[in-house]
Amino acid sequence: MNDESQNKMGSPTPEELRQQVERTRDELGQTVEALAGKADVKAQAKEKTAAAKKQAAEKTAELKEQAAEKTAAAKEQAAEKATAVKEQAAEKSAELKEQAAEKTAAVKEQAAAATAQIREKTAQAAQAVKDRTPEPVQEKTAQAATQVRESAARAGQFAVDRTPDPLLEKADRIAKAARANRTQLLAGGAVLVAFLLIRRGRGRDK
């Protein structure tokens, strides 16, 4: 048999075989490219997913850091404001205390000055009355003052005997306060008694 008879029986020629190999190679190449493309898409998807996760993690960390910084700043500002308010309150309290102390001292000084003036005027009035009062009248004044003291003592003892203890304690406090100004009271009483006696004597002379 020759080549022509073999071709007629269906055997491929070398040229046909070469063409089949090339087609097969092309098909395999396309298949490999398709598979590579699919693999590349999956890899890209994984890379994108990983990148997205990384960005999300970085963004979350950044937000947490910013939130922590803002919280710390807010706490610091609040602490500074609280400290400033406390300092202002302390300064205001100290200022008010100082003003109150100054006013109290001024009132005490005024009261002391007024008391001294009253004592001086009372003493002057008593001395003036004494200088202008005749000796008989002075004796009568002394006797009257003695009688007044004795009567007051008897009345006081009578009141003490019939007064409950709480009232006695209160009266004792009042008496202590009165003793502090005893000189003024006695002088004033003496002046009053002398004045009454002088007026009474003048009435008799008429």
Side-chain angles (χ1 to χ4, degrees):
M1 285 184 184
N2 53 21
D3 294 338
E4 292 179 357
S5 61
Q6 289 179 355
N7 290 336
K8 290 179 180 179
M9 293 177 63
S11 298
T13 64
E15 183 64 25
E16 291 176 347
L17 290 174
R18 186 171 59 253
Q19 291 177 357
Q20 289 180 358
V21 169
E22 289 179 357
R23 283 196 301 271
T24 303
R25 185 183 297 169
D26 291 338
E27 292 175 357
L28 289 173
Q30 292 176 0
T31 303
V32 170
E33 288 180 359
L35 293 173
K38 290 181 179 180
D40 187 52
V41 170
K42 291 182 179 180
Q44 290 178 359
K46 288 182 180 180
E47 289 178 358
K48 289 182 179 179
T49 302
K53 288 182 179 180
K54 185 178 180 181
Q55 289 179 356
E58 291 176 352
K59 191 67 176 178
T60 301
E62 183 180 355
L63 292 175
K64 286 182 179 179
E65 185 177 357
Q66 291 177 356
E69 291 177 355
K70 289 182 179 179
T71 302
K75 288 182 179 179
E76 185 177 357
Q77 290 178 357
E80 290 177 354
K81 288 182 180 179
T83 302
V85 170
K86 287 182 180 179
E87 290 178 355
Q88 291 177 357
E91 291 176 358
K92 191 66 176 178
S93 178
E95 183 179 354
L96 292 175
K97 287 182 180 179
E98 185 177 357
Q99 291 177 356
E102 291 177 355
K103 289 182 179 179
T104 302
V107 171
K108 287 183 179 179
E109 290 179 359
Q110 292 175 359
T115 301
Q117 290 178 358
I118 292 172
R119 288 178 180 176
E120 184 178 357
K121 289 181 179 179
T122 302
Q124 291 175 356
Q127 186 63 39
V129 171
K130 185 176 180 182
D131 293 340
R132 295 177 182 178
T133 303
E135 292 183 359
V137 175
Q138 291 184 11
E139 292 178 358
K140 291 182 179 180
T141 302
Q143 293 175 358
T146 302
Q147 292 176 358
V148 169
R149 286 196 295 271
E150 291 176 354
S151 299
R154 287 194 298 271
Q157 187 62 41
F158 180 79
V160 167
D161 294 338
R162 288 165 176 75
T163 302
D165 292 338
L167 293 178
L168 288 176
E169 293 178 358
K170 187 174 181 180
D172 182 60
R173 289 195 297 270
I174 296 173
K176 288 180 180 179
R179 288 193 198 102
N181 298 320
R182 182 174 56 186
T183 303
Q184 296 93 319
L185 292 175
L186 291 176
V191 171
L192 179 61
V193 171
F195 176 77
L196 292 175
L197 290 174
I198 292 171
R199 188 173 180 181
R200 184 178 179 184
R202 288 179 179 176
R204 289 179 179 177
D205 292 339
K206 290 179 181 180

